[in-house]
Amino acid sequence: MNGRERRIRRNRRVFIVLLGMSAVLGIFVLRLAWLQLMPAAPATSRSVNWKREAVAQRERGLLLDSGRGDFVDRSGLALTGESYQGLAVFPVQKEIRNHGQQRSEIEKLAAALGVSAGKLQVWMEGLKAPSFWQVAGESAPHKLSKQQLDTISGLRLDGVRILPYRNRYPSGFDAKHAIGYISQHPELLQTRYERELSKRKMKLTDQVGGAGLERSLDGLLRGTGATSVSFFTDGSDKPLNGLDMRLTSPDNPYYPLKVVTTLDLPLQNKIEAYADAHGLREGAVVVLDAHTGDIVSMVSRPLLAPDSLKKTGTDMANHAVRATTPGSIFKLVTAAAALEADLTEEREVFECDGDYGHYGLHCWKEGGHGRLTLHEALAQSCNVAFATIAERLTPAQLAVTADKLGIGRKIGWYDPRPFAPLGEPLRLLQEEEAGTLFAAFPDHRDGGQLAQTGIGQRDVTMSPLQAANLVLTLLHGGQVMEPRLVSEIRYANEQRMAVLPRMNSSSRYGRISTKTAHALLRGMEAVVTNGTGRSINRGIWQVAGKSGTAETLREGIKRNNQWFAGYGPLKAPRYTVAVLAENRSPDSSNKATALFRGVMDILAEG
């Protein structure tokens, strides 16, 4: 056999071997394709679908921290965000926890938690996903005490760990309407984050800011990702020894952000407790810094329950920025309009016999006030005098003066320019209502409408924030300021991201004169000295202000909105305060006046 023939035979053998290997490989490929594409029902009850088996050897994830930015008060005290140790339980095979050693450990764990071993066992065996232990009535994972930590840390239970948890809303004080809440809101997500949803950077089940600063700053607060822990099990829920747990968190030293608010948390908590103890069931208290216009405290009732927004006795609405009928508080605006138009002056004398004689309008005081000057009419809140003044005005004069004083328009901090970190204009209190003077601007003169508007009834509405800012405007000689709720935003390393400057809210019509502002302030002093607010004449500070009672209807039943707005101390004002007690019985005393005195005393004590 020559060399050529040997080469031919060798090549033939190689070809046959390669052909056989290709056939075997082809069989494997076909088998894999069949397994992937064809349904494979189990042959026996003990057989397992291979696809389910592959997925079952997996991570069991548990969220520890959403990564959302937090709020602090003006001194750095936490308003949101509380870290503590909780008990995390991961689902494992039922039989694992039923043998002697594990059963004994569960009994010790149950004793530490203060529950029966049976109840704990049922809960653990019923878990379909990892979960923190939570006590009935608590809205967040249970915060383990030092004694519980010492006991549990010595136990050896598969799938049971002590882990740090970041609770969004700290325990110990009520949620703040000004801060707001987060919740699942698919419609809002689709409106605000369409691009992120399309790129699968967000899910419709994600939580989003629903109100307050949580909503207005949501685009910044969402951060760069969550921190979670994973526990590894095999296909039958047995822990994979050696892998245990893996922590996953974003690696960005600048996030989460910290929002520094203008609120004073100790004062906020004291005022909340005082309002609750003295029966403010529905209404608001707003405290502004008299020098800067910053919001020091903002209380709204009923309570906000961020974990259960429809819970009985709670309310999502922030009553501090919701407009409602002001009653005699609005007489400050009426007086300002008449003084600015030279249609009256402080020493003008009015006659009040208790009946205005038109439109069914009466003075609140039976028999009237007799003869009194404008200054005295403001102190006594005389309806007859102010209806008389209002009828001298035009609707335009009232509307323009109201605008000059920040009434009938939103006055909370707002930057119409794109706010750099967000790339769009920013309004801190998006729920703020502008209020109204007229339901529709009059196309003819209506004396009855003017008279009722002049005493703060008919279609007039304003918010407690506007009332507190009205007093602030008078103290600043007619300059309207924009109450600020946030001073700056910081990165996680305390470096500043943005500063929100103090700003004015100037009217397009200009401002009232300093002379008019001082005349109104003198009238507010007289209110407390010898007028409708003389019951609060004594306290730590001398104060001044204006009371108000507005007639309203609730479900067809007559009710009153009771107000008091003022400032203190008298000689060197530090704060302006507005108090609203809504839907009170018509025969009840002015709750707002009494609360104003108490709030001022709290502020005086610091």
Side-chain angles (χ1 to χ4, degrees), residues 112-251:
L113 296 175
V115 297
S116 68
K119 180 179 179 180
L120 181 61
Q121 184 95 16
V122 168
W123 176 73
M124 294 171 76
E125 292 178 356
L127 290 178
K128 302 299 182 184
S131 180
F132 277 103
W133 170 255
Q134 191 167 329
V135 175
E138 293 182 352
S139 59
H142 178 63
K143 184 177 183 179
L144 296 174
S145 67
K146 185 179 184 304
Q147 183 177 356
Q148 288 174 325
L149 287 169
D150 291 342
T151 301
I152 298 172
S153 60
L155 302 179
R156 294 292 178 266
L157 277 165
D158 287 323
V160 177
R161 297 289 186 275
I162 294 173
L163 294 175
Y165 178 76
R166 185 75 171 170
N167 183 22
R168 181 65 182 165
Y169 301 109
S171 57
F173 62 91
D174 294 321
K176 320 299 179 191
H177 285 81
I179 300 301
Y181 60 86
I182 55 173
S183 65
Q184 289 186 354
H185 198 318
E187 295 83 3
L188 184 60
L189 276 170
Q190 288 176 320
T191 301
R192 296 193 63 180
Y193 299 113
E194 182 180 2
R195 181 181 300 177
E196 288 82 351
L197 288 169
S198 65
K199 294 182 178 180
R200 297 187 178 181
K201 292 182 179 180
M202 296 183 71
K203 306 184 296 294
L204 286 176
T205 54
D206 287 347
Q207 291 193 320
V208 65
L213 295 179
E214 292 276 26
R215 179 168 183 171
S216 59
L217 297 174
D218 186 71
L220 297 175
L221 294 169
R222 285 188 299 110
T224 57
T227 297
S228 61
V229 66
S230 301
F231 183 83
F232 293 86
T233 61
D234 66 12
S236 58
D237 276 340
K238 292 180 180 178
L240 288 175
N241 296 326
L243 290 180
D244 196 38
M245 295 188 300
R246 181 180 70 181
L247 185 71
T248 304
S249 63
D251 184 19

Side-chain angles (χ1 to χ4, degrees), residues 332-346 348 374 389-402 404-405 445 511-513 515-517 520:
L332 292 168
V333 178
T334 304
L339 288 169
E340 290 287 285
D342 291 326
L343 295 175
T344 188
E345 49 96 16
E346 282 187 272
E348 182 181 357
L374 173 63
I389 294 170
E391 280 212 76
R392 297 174 184 174
L393 296 163
T394 65
Q397 286 173 320
L398 266 175
V400 166
T401 304
K404 288 181 179 181
L405 293 169
R445 185 181 183 84
R511 52 194 283 184
I512 65 168
S513 67
K515 179 182 177 182
T516 295
L520 297 178

Side-chain angles (χ1 to χ4, degrees), residues 220-524:
L220 297 175
L221 294 169
R222 285 188 299 110
T224 57
T227 297
S228 61
V229 66
S230 301
F231 183 83
F232 293 86
T233 61
D234 66 12
S236 58
D237 276 340
K238 292 180 180 178
L240 288 175
N241 296 326
L243 290 180
D244 196 38
M245 295 188 300
R246 181 180 70 181
L247 185 71
T248 304
S249 63
D251 184 19
N252 190 325
Y254 295 103
Y255 289 84
L257 297 177
K258 181 186 293 184
V259 178
V260 182
T261 72
T262 59
L263 296 174
D264 185 310
L265 183 57
L267 286 177
Q268 174 82 16
N269 287 340
K270 288 178 182 177
I271 293 171
E272 285 180 1
Y274 179 82
D276 292 338
H278 289 78
L280 182 63
R281 295 184 178 86
E282 186 176 357
V285 180
V286 175
V287 180
L288 303 181
D289 185 303
H291 298 290
T292 66
D294 286 345
I295 299 171
V296 176
S297 176
M298 180 174 278
V299 178
S300 177
R301 289 295 182 266
L303 290 166
L304 172 68
D307 57 303
S308 181
L309 298 176
K310 295 183 179 179
K311 185 177 179 181
T312 302
T314 66
D315 192 350
M316 291 182 289
N318 184 353
H319 291 238
V321 295
R322 191 173 71 173
T324 189
T325 313
S328 296
I329 295 288
F330 190 78
K331 290 172 182 174
L332 292 168
V333 178
T334 304
L339 288 169
E340 290 287 285
D342 291 326
L343 295 175
T344 188
E345 49 96 16
E346 282 187 272
R347 292 171 294 181
E348 182 181 357
V349 177
F350 299 87
E351 291 280 354
C352 172
D353 61 6
D355 187 358
Y356 186 53
H358 306 287
Y359 323 119
L361 194 151
H362 304 278
C363 192
W364 64 268
K365 183 178 180 181
E366 188 174 352
H369 292 98
R371 290 173 58 85
L372 72 176
T373 64
L374 173 63
H375 177 84
E376 293 168 335
L378 196 57
Q380 301 299 331
S381 199
C382 177
N383 286 344
V384 170
F386 278 92
T388 302
I389 294 170
E391 280 212 76
R392 297 174 184 174
L393 296 163
T394 65
Q397 286 173 320
L398 266 175
V400 166
T401 304
D403 195 278
K404 288 181 179 181
L405 293 169
I407 306 300
R409 59 188 178 90
K410 297 179 181 181
I411 44 83
W413 194 96
Y414 171 65
D415 191 347
R417 302 165 300 179
F419 183 62
L422 286 173
E424 61 184 16
L426 174 61
R427 183 180 295 280
L428 290 177
L429 289 167
Q430 293 185 359
E431 296 84 13
E432 182 189 358
E433 295 179 358
T436 58
L437 262 71
F438 306 103
F441 197 81
D443 57 5
H444 66 282
R445 185 181 183 84
D446 183 333
Q449 182 184 46
L450 286 169
Q452 291 172 347
T453 300
I455 62 172
Q457 290 285 165
R458 188 94 176 210
D459 302 320
V460 183
T461 61
M462 75 164 68
S463 69
L465 177 63
Q466 289 173 325
N469 202 54
L470 169 60
V471 178
L472 183 72
T473 298
L474 299 179
L475 289 175
H476 284 258
Q479 178 61 63
V480 182
M481 304 178 77
E482 288 188 5
R484 185 178 62 157
L485 189 55
V486 172
S487 60
E488 61 184 31
I489 302 171
R490 297 176 184 169
Y491 291 109
N493 61 4
E494 295 296 328
Q495 185 178 353
R496 283 180 177 173
M497 169 191 265
V499 174
L500 281 67
R502 298 186 181 105
M503 295 194 296
N504 295 326
S505 181
S506 300
S507 168
R508 55 180 173 167
Y509 303 111
R511 52 194 283 184
I512 65 168
S513 67
T514 302
K515 179 182 177 182
T516 295
H518 287 168
L520 297 178
L521 291 173
R522 286 191 292 270
M524 292 169 68

Side-chain angles (χ1 to χ4, degrees), residues 37-53:
L37 299 175
M38 297 297 292
T44 70
S45 61
R46 301 184 65 181
S47 298
V48 180
N49 184 305
W50 77 273
K51 287 183 276 188
R52 191 184 309 116
E53 179 73 24

